[in-house]
Amino acid sequence: MDIIKNISIIFISIFYESLPFLLLGALISSIIEAFVSDEKLARLIPKNKILASLVGILLGFFIPACDCAVIPVSKRLIKKKVPINVVVSFMLASPIINPVVLLSTYYAFYKTNPEIIILRIILGIIIALIIGIIMGIIFNKKEVIKEIKEESSDDIDEDFMELIEEFDACKINCHDETVNSKFIFIVKDTLNDLFEVVKYLIFGALIASTIQVLTPRSVINIFKNSQILSIVALMLFAYLISLCSTSDSFIGKSLINTFTKQSVLAYLVLGPMIDIKNTIVLLGNFKKKFVLTLISLIFIMVFIFSILVVILL
Amino acid sequence: MKKKYLGIVSLIYALIIIYTWFNSNLNNYLAPNMQICIKASSIVLLILGIISILNNKIKFRFKILDLVLLLPVLALFIINDSKLDLSLSINRSGFNRNKIKTDIKVEDIEEDYDFTNTYFDIDDSIYMELANYISYGEKATKFIGKTIRVRGFVQKYTSYIPEGFFTIGKYAVTCCIADSEYIGFFVKYDPDKIKSFNWYQIEGVLKQGKDKDGYNILYIDLVNIEEISSEEEYIYSCDNYNSCSKLEKYELDY
């Protein structure tokens, strides 16, 4: 019984910590849908793939989304025909380079290891850029979002279609009634988006909290003496522990006394990009092949770049 | 009713958050600094829920999987205001090491200690910073010989604790309980004389010893020990208590 109680406490703490950011993400996603047309978005994005991915990364700096909030926003951007490379670069970079995370990384490391702050940003951006471009090539013009079967032919959808038609009209000529229906659309769409993601967050948070209760964190200490194994161990640790990117720096700081700098860096770069909680959320919203390719690329790239840091520094 | 269920779930979420908030239990899940986000969310969810229930155009299609949305309510029911088990601290400790390799020569540590004017009287508002600094701050050796008083719950005979020592500490929470970590101090004292996970106040002097890997550690050489009733087990960084200025007198250089 105590185990279930402990799991529940950690589960609720992850749930309460993530919910505001998911809500924010769902709200941003609905506002994009209501106010930004596909054409307007397309005009913002350069034709050159690298430049386009850089725009995605820049977007990550300005949209205050941690690793939970990026998923609904990314899904919306893909639905609005934003190229995959831009969305993936945004999705991976945003949880590392958004101002809140930058600030917490700064506070955790500026006194003891300031180089970690710079390396986390640089590696985050480079890896987001490379993976964005690779994913763009592999999934070019392929469907990556999971079909949701619900919207077919009953009265709910008729009402919904009516709403959509109303704001399509509004995009051209708005008057009070359509402004009102736009607002109603945002309410409905936010709730739809939010709970579609929350369902999977609940599964993810349950798995993460169960792992936290059943496995001693010190189990990774056995890998501390090997440069390569400690990188792998801390990557797995980041994946399984599923901390929000706003708080992982402080745990990273306590790891730095036991593990090498490069392995802590691997932990700090991989954790925000992917963890078990977000894997479940992604699998609920994107096609399996897309998610598995993305996760494999993140692990491979973070490992390669961490080894490069070992060699170069 | 079925077509309004997301509005109802939104209201339920708002109400459970508000319930936790007004029962002052948010501290059991989130650091005070982080609570503003969830409090604001409860208001937004309340508004979204009410609008979607009242507006006839907003309907949703119910799927059986959506029942998982009620799991947080069940979890809160199971928790019933309790906190993390103290014994779980074994799973959440054991990282922090001081990597000081050179022994510091300490001359003439006085044997009569005056605890009426203890140098480190550690309360919750400065616990996290001082425990971290003394545990693994490389320059913490300047405090060798200083008197210290601290309260917490204890661990003994776990893999990272050297023989003849126990640890006293609390759960340090950065953002949420999921990132909490047991932090504290090594104490030199016969572990058989204390009970695991019980609460104690100890007074002693900071000295230098070796951990299991041969690294130097700062530990508390125990002078007085007293069993106390349980206290708040979670501690947060000093900015949550507006108490960071209390640390200035220790001149912690990193």
Side-chain angles (χ1 to χ4, degrees), chain A residues 154 188 199 213 257-258, chain B residues 59 61 91 95 99 136:
Chain A
D154 67 6
K188 181 185 159 109
K199 257 187 289 187
V213 169
N257 286 287
T258 309
Chain B
K59 293 169 190 163
R61 172 180 270 228
N91 274 7
F95 286 147
K99 287 199 170 174
Y136 59 95

Side-chain angles (χ1 to χ4, degrees), chain A residues 276-303:
Chain A
I276 197 153
K277 160 174 68 63
N278 283 352
T279 302
I280 308 280
V281 180
L282 281 171
L283 283 171
N285 290 277
F286 292 87
K287 291 214 160 140
K288 207 155 112 192
K289 194 177 165 199
F290 176 82
V291 180
L292 296 182
T293 316
L294 182 68
I295 296 174
S296 317
L297 279 173
I298 294 172
F299 269 89
I300 294 168
M301 286 298 159
V302 173
F303 180 74

Side-chain angles (χ1 to χ4, degrees), chain B residues 1 15 50 56 61 72 110 116 138 220:
Chain B
M1 202 63 176
L15 292 176
I50 292 172
N56 287 334
R61 172 180 270 228
E110 293 204 13
T116 51
E138 290 192 18
I220 301 174

Side-chain angles (χ1 to χ4, degrees), chain B residues 195-214:
Chain B
K195 290 183 212 129
S196 284
F197 313 119
N198 275 22
W199 287 81
Y200 293 90
Q201 171 176 284
I202 59 151
E203 291 172 332
V205 181
L206 285 171
K207 289 188 178 170
Q208 187 173 243
K210 299 268 183 212
D211 75 0
K212 283 189 163 175
D213 294 330

Side-chain angles (χ1 to χ4, degrees), chain A residues 223-274:
Chain A
F223 302 108
K224 68 186 175 201
N225 292 326
S226 155
Q227 185 73 263
I228 289 177
L229 280 183
S230 70
I231 289 175
V232 177
L234 284 199
M235 280 165 62
L236 283 174
F237 176 67
Y239 182 77
L240 295 175
I241 195 170
S242 297
L243 294 179
C244 190
S245 54
T246 46
S247 60
D248 61 358
S249 306
F250 295 94
I251 294 287
K253 188 184 169 189
S254 71
L255 292 168
I256 210 148
N257 286 287
T258 309
F259 293 90
T260 59
K261 247 182 243 173
Q262 292 83 354
S263 54
V264 174
L265 191 62
Y267 155 88
L268 286 171
V269 176
L270 185 125
M273 290 186 172
I274 192 74

Side-chain angles (χ1 to χ4, degrees), chain A residues 1-6 8-17 19-21 23 27 111-112 148-157 159-160 162-163 166 180-181 183-184 186-192 194-196 198-200 202-203 206 212-218 220-221 224 237 241 243 246-247 250-251 253-260, chain B residues 3 5-7 9-10 13 16-17 20 26 28-30 34 37-38 40-42 44-45 47-49 51-52 55-63 65-66 68-76 78-80 82-85 87-88 90-99 128 132 136 138 159 174-181 213 234 252 254:
Chain A
M1 196 58 200
D2 278 348
I3 288 181
I4 295 175
K5 207 175 257 184
N6 288 331
S8 302
I9 293 170
I10 295 174
F11 164 74
I12 289 288
S13 85
I14 297 177
F15 178 72
Y16 276 0
E17 193 194 30
L19 191 66
F21 296 101
L23 181 60
L27 210 56
K111 283 177 181 164
T112 47
I148 296 170
K149 289 182 194 110
E150 61 169 325
E151 276 155 39
S152 52
S153 60
D154 67 6
D155 56 342
I156 294 172
D157 303 304
D159 281 342
F160 193 61
E162 210 178 288
L163 271 176
E166 278 179 36
N180 184 37
S181 61
F183 175 71
I184 296 299
I186 291 176
V187 172
K188 181 185 159 109
D189 198 53
T190 301
L191 286 182
N192 239 341
L194 172 70
F195 290 111
E196 197 51 45
V198 165
K199 257 187 289 187
Y200 298 99
I202 286 173
F203 284 123
L206 257 183
Q212 280 214 19
V213 169
L214 299 181
T215 334
R217 287 189 190 172
S218 52
I220 53 170
N221 280 349
K224 68 186 175 201
F237 176 67
I241 195 170
L243 294 179
T246 46
S247 60
F250 295 94
I251 294 287
K253 188 184 169 189
S254 71
L255 292 168
I256 210 148
N257 286 287
T258 309
F259 293 90
T260 59
Chain B
K3 288 173 183 171
Y5 80 102
L6 282 188
V9 174
S10 184
Y13 279 13
I16 59 171
I17 297 164
T20 323
L26 277 177
N28 292 354
Y29 308 104
L30 297 171
M34 292 294 292
C37 303
I38 193 75
S41 303
S42 69
V44 177
L45 287 168
I47 295 169
L48 292 177
I51 295 173
S52 79
N55 191 291
N56 287 334
K57 282 192 173 172
I58 302 180
K59 293 169 190 163
F60 305 96
R61 172 180 270 228
F62 177 77
K63 283 165 283 171
L65 182 68
D66 294 338
V68 300
L69 291 172
L70 295 176
L71 268 181
V73 183
L74 177 69
L76 279 170
I78 293 171
I79 296 166
N80 189 23
S82 56
K83 297 179 180 180
L84 272 192
D85 254 9
S87 59
L88 195 70
I90 291 180
N91 274 7
R92 311 178 80 77
S93 57
F95 286 147
N96 300 344
R97 302 292 162 93
N98 194 321
K99 287 199 170 174
M128 194 159 163
N132 274 331
Y136 59 95
E138 290 192 18
S159 59
T174 305
C175 284
C176 69
I177 303 304
D179 66 42
S180 63
E181 199 181 357
D213 294 330
Y234 303 132
L252 308 179
Y254 289 85

